[in-house]
Amino acid sequence: QSQVVPRPVASRRLPCAFTLDHHTRISANEPESRRVAGLFNERMLKAYGLSLEPEGAAAGGGNSIVFTTIGSRDLPAEGYRLEVEEDRIRIVGRGAGLFYGMQTLTQLLPMGAAPPLLLPAVVITDYPRFRYRGLLLDVARHFYPVEFIKKLLDLMAQYKMNMFHWHLTDDQGWRIEIKRYPRLTQIGSHRRETIKLQFFSPYIGDGIPHGGYYTQEQIKDIVAYARARHIT
């Protein structure tokens, strides 16, 4: 399972494979598992054009993917268990753990392939070694749009990172709307050029104007987007 990053705590390969195609059904019976299953279904539709139908009341039948919190009490915090068998995939966890199990499942999918998709049969048990797994983005020095931030959060979630350090203000730019002090963004979010740092040289600018800031509504949206992916 070399394609799984970070490397799982324990994994065991089985001598078969699971076929994922338009016949595959998805099962999730609790609110949290349904939310995670919905995120997985969105990923499948975007990457492979597959929209998996929900399984009926008889959950766990042939060629199904089951997301469940049942059996997760013996797992450490943020831990999960992923079982890929010939006729069923089962992801067990709660909270962040169930979400991370889904992320590992997506890493097992073949890139650039068309359905049917073959997944290696495997049993994985995993939980994080470190509580704080963070990434810093400095937008004070270089502003990035909301779409970029969300893409970055998606990549963080894929690699099970849980802390986003968003550096919003510095002398090179003020990036957060403060309604009581509008000149912070009217003036402070723009600069006429960026200093080129060169040894043994006087001040040299690149001559390229740079600017931008996030409204309070945009920041609320990004915080909620991160929270849905278990990122603080």
Side-chain angles (χ1 to χ4, degrees):
Q1 292 73 55
S2 58
Q3 69 265 45
V4 177
V5 178
R7 181 177 299 191
V9 172
S11 63
R12 177 168 54 90
R13 186 76 162 83
L14 302 178
C16 56
F18 178 89
T19 302
L20 198 162
D21 56 22
H22 66 279
H23 296 296
T24 304
R25 295 293 179 262
I26 197 164
S27 171
N29 293 324
E30 311 95 358
E32 178 63 13
S33 60
R34 281 195 293 269
R35 190 187 74 83
V36 174
L39 290 173
F40 179 75
N41 219 353
E42 289 175 11
R43 180 82 60 88
M44 295 302 301
L45 183 60
K46 183 177 181 180
Y48 302 101
L50 281 175
S51 182
L52 305 182
E53 295 294 329
E55 195 170 45
N63 201 252
S64 62
I65 301 175
V66 180
F67 293 87
T68 183
T69 62
I70 297 172
S72 64
R73 292 299 170 185
D74 61 330
L75 293 169
E78 300 182 90
Y80 66 89
R81 186 163 50 249
L82 170 63
E83 302 165 354
V84 180
E85 300 172 333
E86 188 173 5
D87 61 349
R88 187 185 71 163
I89 295 175
R90 188 168 181 263
I91 304 101
V92 178
R94 61 186 185 278
L98 188 65
F99 178 76
Y100 293 147
M102 183 271 288
Q103 293 292 347
T104 294
L105 176 59
T106 63
Q107 288 190 21
L108 295 177
L109 294 168
M111 294 291 293
L117 308 171
L118 290 180
L119 281 76
V122 64
V123 177
I124 293 175
T125 301
D126 194 21
Y127 50 86
R129 180 180 177 190
F130 300 106
R131 183 185 61 83
Y132 191 112
R133 306 178 300 280
L135 181 143
L136 161 68
L137 180 67
D138 184 347
V139 297
R141 290 169 176 82
H142 187 88
F143 178 78
Y144 290 96
V146 170
E147 292 75 16
F148 178 92
I149 304 297
K150 289 184 174 181
K151 182 177 180 180
L152 185 67
L153 291 169
D154 284 336
L155 289 171
M156 285 182 63
Q158 182 178 347
Y159 296 111
K160 306 177 179 73
M161 304 178 79
N162 65 350
M163 294 287 178
F164 180 46
H165 182 167
W166 201 7
H167 189 82
L168 287 163
T169 65
D170 221 308
D171 55 334
Q172 288 90 351
W174 184 281
R175 306 300 181 203
I176 177 173
E177 177 189 39
I178 306 297
K179 294 181 179 179
R180 187 175 179 182
Y181 302 108
R183 284 161 63 86
L184 287 171
T185 47
Q186 289 172 0
I187 298 174
S189 68
H190 299 274
R191 63 177 182 265
R192 65 181 182 182
E193 61 185 358
T194 299
I195 299 173
K196 289 183 176 181
L197 297 179
Q198 296 181 357
F199 290 113
F200 310 114
S201 296
Y203 172 96
I204 298 176
D206 62 6
I208 302 172
H210 186 78
Y213 68 92
Y214 307 99
T215 67
Q216 292 187 10
E217 290 306 312
Q218 286 176 319
I219 287 182
K220 290 176 184 176
D221 177 48
I222 288 171
V223 169
Y225 192 88
R227 184 184 299 117
R229 288 150 182 79
H230 295 275
I231 296 172
T232 299

